[in-house]
Amino acid sequence: MSREPTHVAVVSDCPLLLHGLIRVVDSAPELHRLLAAGRNGAAPHEVGEADVVLLNLRVPVGEVCDLVTRLHRKGRRVVVLSAAATQTDLVLLIEAGARGYVNQWAGEEELLNALRTVASGRSYFSTSFFGDLDVHKNLPRITDREQQILRLVANGATDREIAAELNISEHTVHSHLDRLSSKTGYRRRADLTRLALRRGMAAVEPAEEGFELPRRD
């Protein structure tokens, strides 16, 4: 039985880049481009029934976050494509609901891997971004389980989702988060996300061949 393709909306305010993104998405048979919108096209939040939205806008990060939040609330998975992002920008995008970030200078295969990974329900953040972070700066030692929880926090999971993913109770999740807070001094999820980014924990491996596409109702 053939899998249903993932519906992708491409949004960019750069006509030349939009043309290139269309070509890349259209080259993947398992991705079906639902629409493409430029500066004079459809409003960025009007993406129809897209499963994944590839978003590239040259506006302040606050405006991008507002748009990501609107799309996230509609159940859309958002991959942000940007020429540059600071660690703070990336944390803000994750908090807004973005499931992926790809550096604009990435190759075609990485962009497709990002779209496939996010389509499969996971998160993807360009490894080139993590290469710029200081991951060795006096970081506390944390257990394997704490690393699992920290990674899930960075990928936007709620306490309930973490408990379900790791097959533990929410109370146990809270206990691990309390221990992480004691070790690191960080209590806010945004600060824990920053810690995960410094350790490269929010980056995920590209989706494997034959990944499962989400079913659409």
Side-chain angles (χ1 to χ4, degrees):
M1 184 176 69
S2 61
R3 296 190 181 98
E4 192 171 357
T6 294
H7 291 72
V8 179
V10 182
V11 180
S12 175
D13 57 5
C14 174
L16 189 60
L17 186 55
L18 178 63
H19 178 76
L21 295 176
I22 290 171
R23 183 182 63 79
V24 173
V25 172
D26 287 352
S27 72
E30 74 279 14
L31 302 178
H32 174 72
R33 180 171 52 82
L34 197 64
L35 61 83
R39 182 182 298 275
N40 299 318
H45 61 278
E46 296 174 357
V47 295
E49 296 301 315
D51 301 305
V52 178
V53 180
L54 177 58
L55 189 63
N56 170 254
L57 296 174
R58 296 168 295 175
V59 298
V61 67
E63 293 183 33
V64 178
C65 288
D66 288 343
L67 178 55
V68 169
T69 298
R70 295 173 69 179
L71 292 168
H72 177 66
R73 288 173 178 168
K74 292 182 177 181
R76 309 295 180 249
R77 297 182 176 122
V78 182
V79 176
V80 176
L81 180 71
S82 177
T86 65
Q87 186 176 352
T88 299
D89 290 344
L90 188 53
V91 170
L92 290 173
L93 290 168
I94 293 171
E95 290 179 330
R99 299 299 298 274
Y101 167 82
V102 180
N103 190 293
Q104 192 167 301
W105 308 113
E108 294 183 12
E109 280 306 312
E110 182 177 0
L111 177 58
L112 289 175
N113 280 332
L115 294 172
R116 290 164 178 155
T117 300
V118 171
S120 71
R122 296 183 290 161
S123 298
Y124 185 100
F125 301 97
S126 277
T127 54
S128 60
F129 176 85
F130 296 98
D132 296 333
L133 300 181
D134 181 5
V135 298
H136 304 293
K137 185 180 177 182
N138 301 322
L139 295 176
R141 184 187 178 281
I142 58 178
T143 66
D144 290 343
R145 178 64 88 189
E146 289 166 349
Q147 289 185 47
Q148 289 178 316
I149 290 175
L150 191 58
R151 181 179 294 109
L152 289 167
V153 167
N155 286 346
T158 64
D159 291 353
R160 178 176 296 181
E161 290 168 340
I162 293 172
E165 175 71 20
L166 301 180
N167 196 27
I168 58 179
S169 69
E170 285 190 64
H171 176 75
T172 301
V173 173
H174 297 158
S175 297
H176 283 299
L177 288 172
D178 286 342
R179 282 196 287 273
L180 276 169
S181 296
S182 297
K183 289 181 179 182
T184 65
Y186 299 146
R187 295 195 175 277
R188 295 172 59 247
R189 296 180 90 84
D191 293 329
L192 290 172
T193 297
R194 288 187 180 91
L195 176 61
L197 292 175
R198 286 174 60 195
R199 285 181 173 246
M201 290 180 181
V204 298
E205 293 299 321
E208 297 178 357
E209 196 76 23
F211 65 96
E212 190 70 26
L213 290 174
R215 293 181 179 178
R216 303 176 72 245
D217 296 331

